[in-house]
Amino acid sequence: RRCVQETAPRYDGLVVSNVRFYNYEQTAVAIYSCSRCNVETHEGANTHQFGKLKFTNVVRRTQFGEPRNDIFQDLDGTLTGNGKGGWVTPQYPHLQVPECKLNSNQYDGLVCSN
């Protein structure tokens, strides 16, 4: 059985649209952050946009790799279920605001409404 994962690039600006994810079981992750990032040389956060996604039998939608600084923007609510303008970010104390809820199991971080 083959598993394909969408991995966000090292640089800003990835746009993922009209993609379907099927049968990602407990250990598989549909969207993983930061391809080829190096903790010592990578600076700043990268923002990536997602829209028109469909998840069927997917336990873990996103996971953040080191250095845990990517930001996933949900353009239409299909990533987070929060409606247009939602966000998924790694969990850090300065990001824990009322609009953001921790969801470690499904998103490996904070899910924020607009």
Side-chain angles (χ1 to χ4, degrees), residues 94-108:
H94 69 283
L95 297 174
Q96 293 179 337
V97 297
E99 296 81 13
C100 297
K101 304 293 181 215
L102 179 62
N103 188 329
S104 298
N105 294 332
Q106 193 172 20
Y107 293 96
D108 185 36

Side-chain angles (χ1 to χ4, degrees), residues 3-7 16-25 28-32 49-63 72-83 88 105-108 111:
C3 177
V4 177
Q5 173 185 62
E6 180 62 46
T7 302
V16 176
S17 181
N18 199 28
V19 176
R20 291 166 176 79
F21 298 93
Y22 296 98
N23 301 322
Y24 283 72
E25 297 174 0
V29 178
I31 301 168
Y32 186 80
Q49 298 178 327
F50 296 86
K52 298 180 185 175
L53 304 180
K54 181 174 173 98
F55 296 92
T56 303
N57 194 29
V58 175
V59 175
R60 299 175 69 203
R61 290 188 179 193
T62 64
Q63 183 176 357
F72 297 150
Q73 180 183 11
D74 187 357
L75 298 174
D76 60 2
T78 57
L79 175 61
T80 65
N82 284 346
V88 179
N105 294 332
Q106 193 172 20
Y107 293 96
D108 185 36
V111 179

Side-chain angles (χ1 to χ4, degrees), residues 21-40:
F21 298 93
Y22 296 98
N23 301 322
Y24 283 72
E25 297 174 0
Q26 292 293 340
T27 59
V29 178
I31 301 168
Y32 186 80
S33 74
C34 211
S35 171
R36 298 181 181 242
C37 284
N38 182 319
V39 176
E40 290 85 28

